[in-house]
Amino acid sequence: MSDVSANLTEIQARITKRAKKWGEDPDTVTLIAVSKQQPIDRVEAALKAGHRVYGENRVQEAQGKWPELKEKYDGTELHLIGPLQSNKAKDAVALFDVIQTVDRPKIARALADEMKKSGRNLPVYIQINIGAEDQKAGIDIADADAFIAECRDVYGLDVQGLMCIPPAEEQPAPFFALLGKIAKRNGLSKLSMGMSSDYEIAVQFGASLVRVGTGVFGARG
Ligand SMILES: *Cc1c(COP(=O)(O)O)cnc(C)c1O
């Protein structure tokens, strides 16, 4: 599992194969390499292999490595895929290029304020609690349509799509399908779904962004 470059090639090939098989356009699927808790040499191996799209789930951890890496490797795009606290909104807007985890009005407002102040109008995704799990982040399914409208109309956020993490112990396919249904009725085309264990199924169900960590970099330290 040490050959990061080979892993990236393999995963991209699997994405292309699965997309073609199910009538999806492989060019509309982006592989996000999730670099959280990974040794820096593995992350640099991916950057040197030419990969440019990464995901981190903690603002503070990302601040420790990405300013320097972004400086060094042109065209790097960094996605926040973990829960955000409103007191970290400023740092998040300064460092990240896409925020995938907008899931409550307080965060939507804090991000909108920071984007106005800084002039960085970042694309955002709304995180949906697709398995209705008590412990999981994400807006409840029943509140999703109203919250999406609020993010657009009240806070003026550039909402591009929806993000979800299905329940760990269940088959992910019905949850991916449900995310697609919620997106469609809200006029959203982009779906962030699928991780190392299920990204091919996510592609089959129309994923635009798949978030793969251990599959790219190996086990986290
Ligand atoms: C860690 C993480 C991933 C990647 O998980 P792997 O199983 O290592 O691929 C994807 N999405 C989110 C939100 C994560 O926190």
Short mmCIF file of all heavy atoms in Angstrom, two decimals, residues 28 30 32 77 79-82 84 97-104 107-108 111 115 122-128 138-139 147-148 151 157-164 179 183 188-193 206-211:
data_model
loop_
_atom_site.label_atom_id
_atom_site.label_comp_id
_atom_site.label_asym_id
_atom_site.label_seq_id
_atom_site.Cartn_x
_atom_site.Cartn_y
_atom_site.Cartn_z
N THR A 28 -16.90 13.58 -15.48
CA THR A 28 -17.63 14.38 -14.50
C THR A 28 -17.38 13.88 -13.07
O THR A 28 -17.98 14.38 -12.13
CB THR A 28 -19.16 14.36 -14.77
OG1 THR A 28 -19.63 13.01 -14.58
CG2 THR A 28 -19.48 14.83 -16.17
N THR A 30 -14.71 13.46 -10.02
CA THR A 30 -13.42 13.92 -9.51
C THR A 30 -13.02 13.11 -8.28
O THR A 30 -13.82 12.94 -7.37
CB THR A 30 -13.50 15.41 -9.13
OG1 THR A 30 -13.80 16.16 -10.30
CG2 THR A 30 -12.18 15.91 -8.54
N ILE A 32 -11.21 12.92 -4.97
CA ILE A 32 -10.62 13.73 -3.89
C ILE A 32 -9.76 12.80 -3.04
O ILE A 32 -10.26 11.83 -2.46
CB ILE A 32 -11.71 14.37 -3.01
CG1 ILE A 32 -12.60 15.28 -3.85
CG2 ILE A 32 -11.08 15.15 -1.85
CD1 ILE A 32 -13.70 15.96 -3.05
N GLU A 77 -6.38 22.10 -5.15
CA GLU A 77 -7.74 22.44 -4.70
C GLU A 77 -8.04 21.65 -3.43
O GLU A 77 -7.97 20.43 -3.43
CB GLU A 77 -8.72 22.05 -5.82
CG GLU A 77 -10.16 22.40 -5.54
CD GLU A 77 -11.04 22.00 -6.73
OE1 GLU A 77 -10.83 22.51 -7.85
OE2 GLU A 77 -11.93 21.16 -6.53
N HIS A 79 -10.56 20.65 -0.29
CA HIS A 79 -11.96 20.58 0.14
C HIS A 79 -12.05 20.32 1.64
O HIS A 79 -11.38 19.40 2.14
CB HIS A 79 -12.68 19.41 -0.57
CG HIS A 79 -12.86 19.62 -2.04
ND1 HIS A 79 -14.10 19.61 -2.64
CD2 HIS A 79 -11.96 19.85 -3.03
CE1 HIS A 79 -13.96 19.82 -3.95
NE2 HIS A 79 -12.67 19.97 -4.20
N LEU A 80 -12.90 21.07 2.33
CA LEU A 80 -13.19 20.76 3.73
C LEU A 80 -14.33 19.75 3.76
O LEU A 80 -15.44 20.02 3.29
CB LEU A 80 -13.59 22.01 4.52
CG LEU A 80 -13.92 21.73 6.00
CD1 LEU A 80 -12.72 21.19 6.77
CD2 LEU A 80 -14.47 22.98 6.69
N ILE A 81 -14.05 18.56 4.32
CA ILE A 81 -15.05 17.48 4.32
C ILE A 81 -15.46 17.08 5.73
O ILE A 81 -16.20 16.12 5.91
CB ILE A 81 -14.52 16.24 3.55
CG1 ILE A 81 -13.25 15.69 4.21
CG2 ILE A 81 -14.26 16.59 2.09
CD1 ILE A 81 -12.84 14.32 3.67
N GLY A 82 -14.97 17.80 6.74
CA GLY A 82 -15.33 17.51 8.13
C GLY A 82 -16.15 18.64 8.73
O GLY A 82 -16.24 19.73 8.15
N LEU A 84 -17.59 21.77 10.67
CA LEU A 84 -17.01 23.10 10.86
C LEU A 84 -17.69 23.80 12.04
O LEU A 84 -18.91 23.77 12.16
CB LEU A 84 -17.22 23.92 9.57
CG LEU A 84 -16.69 25.34 9.54
CD1 LEU A 84 -15.18 25.38 9.72
CD2 LEU A 84 -17.07 26.01 8.21
N ASP A 97 -10.80 25.66 -0.64
CA ASP A 97 -11.33 26.13 -1.93
C ASP A 97 -12.79 25.72 -2.11
O ASP A 97 -13.50 26.31 -2.92
CB ASP A 97 -10.48 25.56 -3.07
CG ASP A 97 -9.03 25.99 -2.91
OD1 ASP A 97 -8.75 27.19 -3.05
OD2 ASP A 97 -8.17 25.13 -2.58
N VAL A 98 -13.19 24.68 -1.40
CA VAL A 98 -14.58 24.21 -1.43
C VAL A 98 -14.92 23.77 -0.01
O VAL A 98 -14.12 23.11 0.65
CB VAL A 98 -14.76 23.00 -2.39
CG1 VAL A 98 -16.21 22.54 -2.41
CG2 VAL A 98 -14.28 23.33 -3.80
N ILE A 99 -16.13 24.16 0.47
CA ILE A 99 -16.60 23.74 1.80
C ILE A 99 -17.76 22.77 1.58
O ILE A 99 -18.80 23.16 1.04
CB ILE A 99 -17.09 24.94 2.65
CG1 ILE A 99 -16.06 26.08 2.66
CG2 ILE A 99 -17.49 24.48 4.05
CD1 ILE A 99 -14.94 25.99 3.62
N GLN A 100 -17.58 21.52 1.98
CA GLN A 100 -18.59 20.49 1.68
C GLN A 100 -19.57 20.23 2.83
O GLN A 100 -20.47 19.40 2.67
CB GLN A 100 -17.90 19.17 1.35
CG GLN A 100 -17.15 19.19 0.04
CD GLN A 100 -16.90 17.78 -0.49
OE1 GLN A 100 -17.49 16.82 -0.02
NE2 GLN A 100 -16.03 17.68 -1.45
N THR A 101 -19.36 20.87 3.96
CA THR A 101 -20.06 20.42 5.16
C THR A 101 -20.96 21.49 5.80
O THR A 101 -21.04 21.59 7.01
CB THR A 101 -19.03 19.92 6.18
OG1 THR A 101 -18.00 20.91 6.32
CG2 THR A 101 -18.40 18.62 5.73
N VAL A 102 -21.65 22.25 4.96
CA VAL A 102 -22.60 23.23 5.48
C VAL A 102 -23.86 22.46 5.90
O VAL A 102 -24.48 21.78 5.08
CB VAL A 102 -22.96 24.28 4.40
CG1 VAL A 102 -23.93 25.30 4.95
CG2 VAL A 102 -21.69 24.95 3.87
N ASP A 103 -24.20 22.53 7.19
CA ASP A 103 -25.32 21.69 7.66
C ASP A 103 -26.23 22.36 8.67
O ASP A 103 -27.10 21.70 9.23
CB ASP A 103 -24.79 20.36 8.21
CG ASP A 103 -23.99 20.53 9.50
OD1 ASP A 103 -23.68 21.69 9.87
OD2 ASP A 103 -23.69 19.51 10.14
N ARG A 104 -26.02 23.67 8.93
CA ARG A 104 -26.95 24.37 9.82
C ARG A 104 -26.85 25.87 9.59
O ARG A 104 -25.81 26.37 9.13
CB ARG A 104 -26.70 24.01 11.28
CG ARG A 104 -25.29 24.25 11.76
CD ARG A 104 -25.06 23.54 13.12
NE ARG A 104 -23.79 23.92 13.70
CZ ARG A 104 -22.61 23.39 13.36
NH1 ARG A 104 -22.55 22.47 12.40
NH2 ARG A 104 -21.51 23.79 13.94
N ILE A 107 -23.72 27.95 10.69
CA ILE A 107 -22.52 27.79 9.85
C ILE A 107 -22.69 28.51 8.51
O ILE A 107 -21.77 29.16 8.00
CB ILE A 107 -22.24 26.29 9.62
CG1 ILE A 107 -21.72 25.65 10.91
CG2 ILE A 107 -21.25 26.06 8.49
CD1 ILE A 107 -20.43 26.25 11.43
N ALA A 108 -23.89 28.40 7.96
CA ALA A 108 -24.16 29.08 6.67
C ALA A 108 -23.94 30.58 6.82
O ALA A 108 -23.31 31.22 5.97
CB ALA A 108 -25.59 28.78 6.22
N LEU A 111 -20.15 31.44 7.37
CA LEU A 111 -19.41 31.33 6.10
C LEU A 111 -19.75 32.50 5.17
O LEU A 111 -18.85 33.10 4.57
CB LEU A 111 -19.73 30.00 5.41
CG LEU A 111 -19.11 28.76 6.04
CD1 LEU A 111 -19.71 27.50 5.41
CD2 LEU A 111 -17.59 28.75 5.88
N MET A 115 -17.07 35.12 3.74
CA MET A 115 -16.83 35.21 2.30
C MET A 115 -17.00 36.65 1.82
O MET A 115 -16.25 37.12 0.98
CB MET A 115 -17.77 34.26 1.56
CG MET A 115 -17.38 32.79 1.75
SD MET A 115 -18.40 31.71 0.75
CE MET A 115 -18.18 30.15 1.60
N LEU A 122 -16.57 31.06 -2.09
CA LEU A 122 -16.27 29.64 -2.34
C LEU A 122 -17.53 28.84 -2.68
O LEU A 122 -18.59 29.09 -2.12
CB LEU A 122 -15.65 29.01 -1.10
CG LEU A 122 -14.40 29.66 -0.52
CD1 LEU A 122 -13.90 28.85 0.66
CD2 LEU A 122 -13.32 29.80 -1.57
N PRO A 123 -17.38 27.85 -3.56
CA PRO A 123 -18.47 26.90 -3.76
C PRO A 123 -18.69 26.09 -2.47
O PRO A 123 -17.72 25.76 -1.78
CB PRO A 123 -17.95 25.96 -4.86
CG PRO A 123 -16.67 26.52 -5.33
CD PRO A 123 -16.20 27.53 -4.36
N VAL A 124 -19.95 25.79 -2.17
CA VAL A 124 -20.24 24.97 -0.99
C VAL A 124 -21.16 23.81 -1.36
O VAL A 124 -21.87 23.84 -2.38
CB VAL A 124 -20.90 25.80 0.15
CG1 VAL A 124 -20.04 27.00 0.53
CG2 VAL A 124 -22.31 26.23 -0.20
N TYR A 125 -21.11 22.79 -0.52
CA TYR A 125 -22.03 21.66 -0.58
C TYR A 125 -22.81 21.63 0.73
O TYR A 125 -22.29 22.04 1.78
CB TYR A 125 -21.27 20.35 -0.75
CG TYR A 125 -20.75 20.12 -2.15
CD1 TYR A 125 -19.76 20.97 -2.67
CD2 TYR A 125 -21.24 19.10 -2.94
CE1 TYR A 125 -19.30 20.78 -3.97
CE2 TYR A 125 -20.76 18.90 -4.24
CZ TYR A 125 -19.81 19.74 -4.75
OH TYR A 125 -19.35 19.55 -6.02
N ILE A 126 -24.02 21.13 0.66
CA ILE A 126 -24.82 20.95 1.87
C ILE A 126 -24.70 19.48 2.29
O ILE A 126 -24.95 18.57 1.49
CB ILE A 126 -26.32 21.27 1.60
CG1 ILE A 126 -26.50 22.65 0.94
CG2 ILE A 126 -27.13 21.14 2.89
CD1 ILE A 126 -26.07 23.82 1.77
N GLN A 127 -24.31 19.28 3.54
CA GLN A 127 -24.21 17.90 4.04
C GLN A 127 -25.56 17.44 4.56
O GLN A 127 -26.19 18.10 5.39
CB GLN A 127 -23.15 17.80 5.16
CG GLN A 127 -22.98 16.36 5.63
CD GLN A 127 -21.83 16.20 6.63
OE1 GLN A 127 -21.13 17.15 6.95
NE2 GLN A 127 -21.66 14.98 7.12
N ILE A 128 -26.00 16.29 4.07
CA ILE A 128 -27.30 15.72 4.46
C ILE A 128 -27.05 14.52 5.38
O ILE A 128 -26.22 13.65 5.07
CB ILE A 128 -28.08 15.22 3.21
CG1 ILE A 128 -28.15 16.30 2.11
CG2 ILE A 128 -29.47 14.72 3.61
CD1 ILE A 128 -29.09 17.44 2.37
N GLY A 138 -24.86 16.80 9.53
CA GLY A 138 -25.71 16.88 8.35
C GLY A 138 -27.10 17.37 8.72
O GLY A 138 -27.59 17.11 9.81
N ILE A 139 -27.73 18.07 7.78
CA ILE A 139 -29.09 18.53 8.01
C ILE A 139 -30.04 17.34 7.85
O ILE A 139 -29.79 16.44 7.04
CB ILE A 139 -29.45 19.68 7.00
CG1 ILE A 139 -30.79 20.33 7.31
CG2 ILE A 139 -29.43 19.19 5.55
CD1 ILE A 139 -30.70 21.48 8.26
N PHE A 147 -33.58 24.21 3.93
CA PHE A 147 -32.24 24.69 4.26
C PHE A 147 -31.44 25.04 3.00
O PHE A 147 -30.71 26.05 2.97
CB PHE A 147 -31.49 23.65 5.10
CG PHE A 147 -30.12 24.09 5.51
CD1 PHE A 147 -29.95 25.23 6.30
CD2 PHE A 147 -28.99 23.38 5.11
CE1 PHE A 147 -28.67 25.66 6.68
CE2 PHE A 147 -27.72 23.79 5.49
CZ PHE A 147 -27.55 24.94 6.27
N ILE A 148 -31.58 24.24 1.96
CA ILE A 148 -30.90 24.55 0.70
C ILE A 148 -31.37 25.92 0.17
O ILE A 148 -30.56 26.76 -0.22
CB ILE A 148 -31.15 23.44 -0.35
CG1 ILE A 148 -30.48 22.13 0.08
CG2 ILE A 148 -30.65 23.86 -1.74
CD1 ILE A 148 -30.98 20.88 -0.65
N CYS A 151 -29.88 28.69 2.29
CA CYS A 151 -28.46 28.92 1.98
C CYS A 151 -28.31 29.78 0.73
O CYS A 151 -27.47 30.67 0.65
CB CYS A 151 -27.72 27.60 1.80
SG CYS A 151 -27.40 26.78 3.37
N LEU A 157 -25.17 31.88 -0.60
CA LEU A 157 -24.06 30.95 -0.82
C LEU A 157 -24.15 30.30 -2.21
O LEU A 157 -25.24 30.09 -2.73
CB LEU A 157 -24.07 29.85 0.25
CG LEU A 157 -23.74 30.31 1.68
CD1 LEU A 157 -23.98 29.17 2.67
CD2 LEU A 157 -22.30 30.82 1.79
N ASP A 158 -22.99 30.00 -2.77
CA ASP A 158 -22.91 29.33 -4.07
C ASP A 158 -23.03 27.82 -3.85
O ASP A 158 -22.04 27.10 -3.80
CB ASP A 158 -21.57 29.69 -4.73
CG ASP A 158 -21.36 28.97 -6.05
OD1 ASP A 158 -22.34 28.40 -6.59
OD2 ASP A 158 -20.22 28.96 -6.54
N VAL A 159 -24.27 27.36 -3.69
CA VAL A 159 -24.52 25.94 -3.39
C VAL A 159 -24.39 25.13 -4.67
O VAL A 159 -25.14 25.32 -5.62
CB VAL A 159 -25.93 25.73 -2.79
CG1 VAL A 159 -26.15 24.25 -2.48
CG2 VAL A 159 -26.11 26.58 -1.54
N GLN A 160 -23.42 24.21 -4.69
CA GLN A 160 -23.17 23.44 -5.91
C GLN A 160 -23.73 22.03 -5.85
O GLN A 160 -23.96 21.42 -6.89
CB GLN A 160 -21.67 23.37 -6.16
CG GLN A 160 -21.09 24.76 -6.41
CD GLN A 160 -19.98 24.74 -7.42
OE1 GLN A 160 -19.30 23.75 -7.57
NE2 GLN A 160 -19.81 25.84 -8.12
N GLY A 161 -23.89 21.51 -4.64
CA GLY A 161 -24.38 20.14 -4.57
C GLY A 161 -24.56 19.67 -3.15
O GLY A 161 -24.57 20.46 -2.21
N LEU A 162 -24.70 18.35 -3.00
CA LEU A 162 -24.95 17.72 -1.71
C LEU A 162 -23.86 16.73 -1.38
O LEU A 162 -23.25 16.14 -2.27
CB LEU A 162 -26.31 17.01 -1.72
CG LEU A 162 -27.53 17.84 -2.10
CD1 LEU A 162 -28.79 16.97 -2.04
CD2 LEU A 162 -27.68 19.06 -1.18
N MET A 163 -23.64 16.55 -0.08
CA MET A 163 -22.61 15.62 0.40
C MET A 163 -23.24 14.72 1.44
O MET A 163 -24.13 15.14 2.19
CB MET A 163 -21.48 16.45 1.01
CG MET A 163 -20.33 15.67 1.60
SD MET A 163 -20.54 15.26 3.33
CE MET A 163 -18.84 15.02 3.82
N CYS A 164 -22.81 13.44 1.49
CA CYS A 164 -23.31 12.55 2.54
C CYS A 164 -22.29 11.49 2.91
O CYS A 164 -21.36 11.20 2.16
CB CYS A 164 -24.63 11.88 2.14
SG CYS A 164 -24.44 10.50 0.99
N LEU A 179 -29.71 10.61 -1.97
CA LEU A 179 -29.02 11.90 -2.08
C LEU A 179 -29.25 12.49 -3.48
O LEU A 179 -29.50 13.69 -3.62
CB LEU A 179 -27.52 11.74 -1.81
CG LEU A 179 -26.79 13.07 -1.57
CD1 LEU A 179 -27.13 13.64 -0.19
CD2 LEU A 179 -25.27 12.92 -1.72
N ALA A 183 -31.05 16.05 -4.41
CA ALA A 183 -30.33 17.03 -5.23
C ALA A 183 -31.19 17.43 -6.44
O ALA A 183 -31.35 18.62 -6.74
CB ALA A 183 -29.00 16.45 -5.69
N LEU A 188 -29.94 20.71 -8.11
CA LEU A 188 -28.49 20.59 -7.90
C LEU A 188 -27.98 19.38 -8.66
O LEU A 188 -28.61 18.32 -8.66
CB LEU A 188 -28.19 20.44 -6.40
CG LEU A 188 -28.53 21.65 -5.53
CD1 LEU A 188 -28.47 21.27 -4.06
CD2 LEU A 188 -27.58 22.80 -5.83
N SER A 189 -26.82 19.52 -9.29
CA SER A 189 -26.32 18.41 -10.10
C SER A 189 -25.14 17.68 -9.48
O SER A 189 -24.80 16.58 -9.91
CB SER A 189 -25.92 18.93 -11.48
OG SER A 189 -24.93 19.92 -11.34
N LYS A 190 -24.52 18.26 -8.47
CA LYS A 190 -23.29 17.63 -7.98
C LYS A 190 -23.50 16.87 -6.66
O LYS A 190 -24.16 17.35 -5.75
CB LYS A 190 -22.21 18.69 -7.79
CG LYS A 190 -21.77 19.26 -9.13
CD LYS A 190 -20.48 20.00 -9.00
CE LYS A 190 -19.94 20.40 -10.36
NZ LYS A 190 -18.70 21.15 -10.24
N LEU A 191 -22.87 15.69 -6.61
CA LEU A 191 -23.00 14.82 -5.44
C LEU A 191 -21.62 14.42 -4.96
O LEU A 191 -20.83 13.87 -5.71
CB LEU A 191 -23.78 13.54 -5.82
CG LEU A 191 -25.17 13.73 -6.42
CD1 LEU A 191 -25.72 12.39 -6.91
CD2 LEU A 191 -26.12 14.32 -5.38
N SER A 192 -21.35 14.70 -3.66
CA SER A 192 -20.11 14.23 -3.04
C SER A 192 -20.45 13.01 -2.20
O SER A 192 -21.07 13.12 -1.14
CB SER A 192 -19.50 15.33 -2.16
OG SER A 192 -18.40 14.79 -1.43
N MET A 193 -20.06 11.84 -2.69
CA MET A 193 -20.38 10.60 -1.98
C MET A 193 -19.47 9.48 -2.44
O MET A 193 -18.99 9.47 -3.56
CB MET A 193 -21.86 10.23 -2.19
CG MET A 193 -22.27 10.07 -3.65
SD MET A 193 -24.08 9.93 -3.80
CE MET A 193 -24.21 9.25 -5.46
N GLY A 206 -24.03 8.11 -9.72
CA GLY A 206 -23.92 9.49 -10.20
C GLY A 206 -23.04 10.42 -9.39
O GLY A 206 -23.19 11.65 -9.48
N ALA A 207 -22.10 9.90 -8.59
CA ALA A 207 -21.21 10.77 -7.81
C ALA A 207 -20.42 11.71 -8.73
O ALA A 207 -19.99 11.32 -9.82
CB ALA A 207 -20.24 9.92 -6.99
N SER A 208 -20.24 12.94 -8.26
CA SER A 208 -19.37 13.90 -8.95
C SER A 208 -18.02 13.98 -8.25
O SER A 208 -17.01 14.23 -8.88
CB SER A 208 -19.98 15.30 -8.94
OG SER A 208 -21.38 15.25 -9.02
N LEU A 209 -18.05 13.83 -6.93
CA LEU A 209 -16.84 13.84 -6.12
C LEU A 209 -16.82 12.58 -5.28
O LEU A 209 -17.78 12.31 -4.56
CB LEU A 209 -16.83 15.06 -5.16
CG LEU A 209 -17.03 16.45 -5.76
CD1 LEU A 209 -17.15 17.49 -4.64
CD2 LEU A 209 -15.86 16.82 -6.67
N VAL A 210 -15.75 11.78 -5.39
CA VAL A 210 -15.58 10.66 -4.46
C VAL A 210 -14.41 11.00 -3.54
O VAL A 210 -13.42 11.59 -3.98
CB VAL A 210 -15.36 9.31 -5.17
CG1 VAL A 210 -16.63 8.89 -5.93
CG2 VAL A 210 -14.17 9.35 -6.12
N ARG A 211 -14.54 10.66 -2.26
CA ARG A 211 -13.55 11.07 -1.25
C ARG A 211 -12.82 9.82 -0.75
O ARG A 211 -13.34 9.08 0.08
CB ARG A 211 -14.27 11.77 -0.09
CG ARG A 211 -15.26 12.87 -0.51
CD ARG A 211 -15.98 13.45 0.70
NE ARG A 211 -16.59 12.42 1.52
CZ ARG A 211 -17.87 12.07 1.47
NH1 ARG A 211 -18.71 12.67 0.65
NH2 ARG A 211 -18.33 11.11 2.26
#
